[in-house]
Amino acid sequence: AGIKSSTDAKVGVRDYLLAPKITLPPQLSKIQEAMRGGIRSTGAIINVIGKTSIGKTLFSDTLVYYWIFNSPLKPVIFSIERTAEELLIDMYSIHLKQNLTWFSDGQDAVEYLNQPDVVKKCEEVETNELGEQRFYIIDERKGNANALKKQIEKAIKQHNSKLVILDVLTDVLRSLPLSEQDDFMLWQKQMKKEGVVFI
């Protein structure tokens, strides 16, 4: 077990090459072209790197919003800076083209969300035309890197969510000893081999 001949490996070559790619939003077409059509859905680790407060979360939200409608893999999002509710509000805001946090009175925002046409648009964000969930959110607040790994594995096994967006991974890892950081990165590489895509 675990050892393949080159002939054994040949069996999977066609599937690997024909696997659908995770495309990027239209405004990132040049990056997608440089990536030869997008991110391989067979497993990948993609890092979005930038200085503090440069807009990485806004950038990743743009990707998440696009992927919940267009990815061949179901996303699961872990946002260390936001609760599940805050993340969903941000996805609603993008879809509605109306920032829900800009209402000075929360009751006004709730009344806006209760309008029948707005309810329908919000449901488009939550579920697809078959009534399936479009994405999942890991709302782990108290755990460490091992707890996060368990939550990711749970999302993969229970919901087949193999597109994992970690915003911001460095916040999870920076306080850990180097050996534990290395363990997490090794675990990521192993999960990649199982077809998981990390952003």
Side-chain angles (χ1 to χ4, degrees):
I3 300 173
K4 289 184 176 181
S5 69
S6 55
T7 306
D8 294 334
K10 182 180 178 180
V11 174
V13 167
R14 184 177 186 279
D15 291 341
Y16 178 84
L17 293 173
L18 294 178
K21 291 193 177 177
I22 301 167
T23 58
L24 302 179
Q27 64 269 33
L28 300 176
S29 61
K30 288 183 180 179
I31 295 173
Q32 180 171 302
E33 187 179 323
M35 296 174 83
R36 302 297 184 254
I39 302 164
R40 291 206 169 275
S41 63
T42 53
I45 299 173
I46 306 293
N47 294 305
V48 177
I49 301 169
K51 293 181 181 179
T52 303
S53 298
I54 202 166
K56 293 183 299 292
T57 295
L58 177 62
F59 181 77
S60 67
D61 280 356
T62 302
L63 296 174
V64 168
Y65 174 73
Y66 181 78
W67 288 334
I68 64 176
F69 292 100
N70 299 289
S71 172
L73 300 180
K74 192 169 299 248
V76 58
I77 303 108
F78 171 73
S79 177
I80 200 164
E81 299 169 344
R82 295 176 286 183
T83 64
E85 295 78 12
E86 289 171 318
L87 180 64
L88 185 58
I89 286 169
D90 288 344
M91 292 299 109
Y92 284 162
S93 296
I94 294 169
H95 194 62
L96 297 167
K97 296 178 177 57
Q98 169 67 55
N99 191 329
L100 297 171
T101 62
W102 285 0
F103 285 89
S104 56
D105 184 343
Q107 185 59 39
D108 292 340
V110 170
E111 288 173 13
Y112 172 76
L113 284 172
N114 286 332
Q115 295 175 19
D117 58 326
V118 175
V119 168
K120 187 172 181 174
K121 294 217 39 108
C122 289
E123 287 172 353
E124 291 171 2
V125 172
E126 299 162 24
T127 56
N128 65 19
E129 54 281 348
L130 301 174
E132 300 166 338
Q133 294 294 310
R134 287 197 186 270
F135 64 100
Y136 292 90
I137 302 166
I138 295 174
D139 200 26
E140 178 67 51
R141 296 281 147 229
K142 299 174 187 167
N144 55 22
N146 286 329
L148 177 58
K149 287 194 284 193
K150 287 179 184 172
Q151 292 290 358
I152 291 169
E153 289 171 357
K154 183 178 177 182
I156 293 166
K157 288 175 187 167
Q158 288 186 352
H159 306 296
N160 199 28
S161 294
K162 288 190 169 187
L163 175 56
V164 180
I165 295 103
L166 303 169
D167 181 27
V168 176
L169 179 59
T170 53
D171 288 355
V172 175
L173 299 181
R174 85 169 42 133
S175 63
L176 298 177
L178 286 176
S179 61
E180 289 182 40
Q181 292 181 30
D182 288 342
D183 287 345
F184 189 90
M185 298 307 209
L186 179 61
W187 172 83
Q188 250 190 329
K189 289 176 184 176
Q190 291 168 339
M191 296 301 286
K192 174 199 171 284
K193 286 184 175 183
E194 294 179 27
V196 179
V197 175
F198 289 95
I199 309 290

